[in-house]
Every structure is written in structure tokens, then in C-alpha cells.
Amino acid sequence: MNRTQLNTTASTLLKLYERKIQLANEIADYEEKLKQHMADNNISYLPLEVANVSWIEVESTVLDTKKVKEFLTPNEFAELSRVRFTKRFNCKVA
């Protein structure tokens, strides 16, 4: 791509990011309306003609790494740890 195409692509991307934020807010509003109805009526599953909506409690067990560090020596913790590398893409207004 040439410089003009790169600038156009980045500009389009920034506009799409803005729309993404607007859509996320709109989605959150509609989710909140459904959640409020379900909470008011004490229901966790709502079968509708166009969608099946559920709002349930989910329990999960996670490892508390701060507490694990208290029980292990730094070397033991290092042996159980691993480093992960990823690439992070970012596009912001200049």
C-alpha cells in the first residue's frame, strides 16, 4: 500500500472503532433492559419467538496467584510459571 492508502485505511479503522464503541453502548442498554425484566420477574431463562435469553449465575474456580506466591519460594514459582509472548495491535488518533 502507498502512503495515501495507508492513511485512508487507518482513518476508516478509527471511524469503525468509534462505531464499535457506540454499538457496544447500545448493546449494553438493550442487555440491561432484558436483565432488568428478568430480575424484576425472578427468571433466569426467557424463551421468546426470536431468541432464547438466559441470565444465570456461573461459578468458576480460579487460582489466586498472590496466595500461591506466599506458599512458594521465588524459584518454585518460577518453575511453575511460563512467559507468553503475543503481538498487540493498536491504532489511535495521531
Side-chain angles (χ1 to χ4, degrees), residues 35-83:
K35 289 177 184 178
Q36 189 62 52
H37 172 81
M38 295 172 84
D40 291 346
N41 294 284
N42 197 29
I43 54 177
S44 59
Y45 181 74
L46 182 62
L48 302 170
E49 288 76 18
V50 295
N52 295 318
V53 183
S54 63
W55 191 35
I56 58 173
E57 288 186 21
V58 177
E59 182 180 326
S60 53
T61 303
V62 295
L63 190 60
D64 185 341
T65 54
K66 287 184 180 182
K67 285 192 178 185
V68 169
K69 284 182 179 182
E70 292 175 10
F71 291 102
L72 300 175
T73 66
N75 286 341
E76 291 171 328
F77 188 78
E79 285 181 36
L80 297 173
S81 301
R82 63 186 167 104
V83 176

Side-chain angles (χ1 to χ4, degrees), residues 2-62:
N2 64 35
R3 191 84 175 160
T4 303
Q5 291 170 319
L6 290 168
N7 278 304
T8 301
T9 300
S11 177
T12 302
L13 184 57
L14 290 172
K15 289 175 188 172
L16 289 171
Y17 282 158
E18 187 176 319
R19 282 183 36 206
K20 179 181 176 182
I21 291 169
Q22 292 168 348
L23 280 173
N25 291 335
E26 192 173 342
I27 288 169
D29 289 343
Y30 281 101
E31 285 179 348
E32 190 53 41
K33 288 178 185 179
L34 288 169
K35 289 177 184 178
Q36 189 62 52
H37 172 81
M38 295 172 84
D40 291 346
N41 294 284
N42 197 29
I43 54 177
S44 59
Y45 181 74
L46 182 62
L48 302 170
E49 288 76 18
V50 295
N52 295 318
V53 183
S54 63
W55 191 35
I56 58 173
E57 288 186 21
V58 177
E59 182 180 326
S60 53
T61 303
V62 295

